[in-house]
Amino acid sequence: MDAKQIKTAWEDIEQRLKTLNVETAWLKGEDDQIGDALRALLPVTDAGDCVLMELMVTPFDENMHLLHIYTAIIMEIGPGYETLKETLLDWNLDSPIGVFGIVRPDRQFCHRYTFPFPVALPSEELAEEAYYLIGRCYSVISRVYPEAVRISGHK
């Protein structure tokens, strides 16, 4: 799969997200990426709180690529840093998909899921799978979001 095929898949997802009134943007790909990344600002509360999700693809080997779904949940953890760090270990044990973590030194609370897929996968199938996985990741993230914000002391 090349950058053009990935862009086609991301454009499909972008259109689906826009029908849900989700803001999207493009992020220039880095050296180890294939193509650009698609960003989405996903609302997680009725009050309009959002998380920033990014989709990108990197090569794994000659037969497989990796779809990365990375979500910044809290951009900078507040005074509850140590408590949140301990709590995320429990959330990881209960998480059916992906892992929670803290990016240091930024003190950013995040969720990450990596999905291997065959290089020959058609872009339509990548779009379908990625959109499904966005939903699964979203359900995991939105479940812990209120408690993460409370523990963090972010708001």
Side-chain angles (χ1 to χ4, degrees), residues 1-14 26 34-36 38 57 123 126:
M1 182 168 284
D2 62 18
K4 184 177 178 185
Q5 292 167 305
I6 292 167
K7 183 171 175 91
T8 299
W10 289 176
E11 287 171 341
D12 179 318
I13 292 170
E14 183 178 40
W26 293 89
I34 302 170
D36 295 333
L38 176 63
V57 172
S123 61
L126 175 60

Side-chain angles (χ1 to χ4, degrees), residues 9-147:
W10 289 176
E11 287 171 341
D12 179 318
I13 292 170
E14 183 178 40
Q15 289 308 316
R16 294 180 195 207
L17 292 172
K18 285 186 177 194
T19 65
L20 300 171
N21 295 319
V22 171
E23 288 183 52
T24 61
W26 293 89
L27 181 64
K28 178 94 173 107
E30 297 181 11
D31 292 340
D32 60 341
Q33 267 180 250
I34 302 170
D36 295 333
L38 176 63
R39 284 184 157 179
L41 200 55
L42 301 172
V44 288
T45 67
D46 293 338
D49 297 316
C50 293
V51 296
L52 179 63
M53 183 178 280
E54 294 180 352
L55 283 78
M56 64 199 77
V57 172
T58 59
F60 182 69
D61 62 26
E62 64 276 355
N63 299 313
M64 298 293 273
H65 287 328
L66 300 173
L67 163 64
H68 303 275
I69 302 175
Y70 176 86
T71 308
I73 301 169
I74 298 173
M75 296 307 263
E76 187 174 341
I77 301 168
Y81 179 89
E82 291 300 324
T83 304
L84 184 62
K85 187 167 76 171
E86 289 180 26
T87 305
L88 74 83
L89 297 174
D90 292 331
W91 289 335
N92 280 334
L93 288 174
D94 291 336
S95 179
I97 185 170
V99 295
F100 294 98
I102 296 174
V103 178
R104 295 172 288 179
D106 300 337
R107 297 174 58 101
Q108 183 183 87
F109 178 56
C110 65
H111 180 268
R112 181 174 174 187
Y113 180 68
T114 302
F115 175 75
F117 67 92
V119 170
L121 188 72
S123 61
E124 307 83 42
E125 290 182 36
L126 175 60
E128 195 66 37
E129 190 66 39
Y131 190 71
Y132 171 79
L133 292 170
I134 288 169
R136 301 297 58 82
C137 290
Y138 178 83
S139 67
V140 169
I141 293 163
S142 61
R143 183 181 44 131
V144 304
Y145 179 83
E147 188 175 359

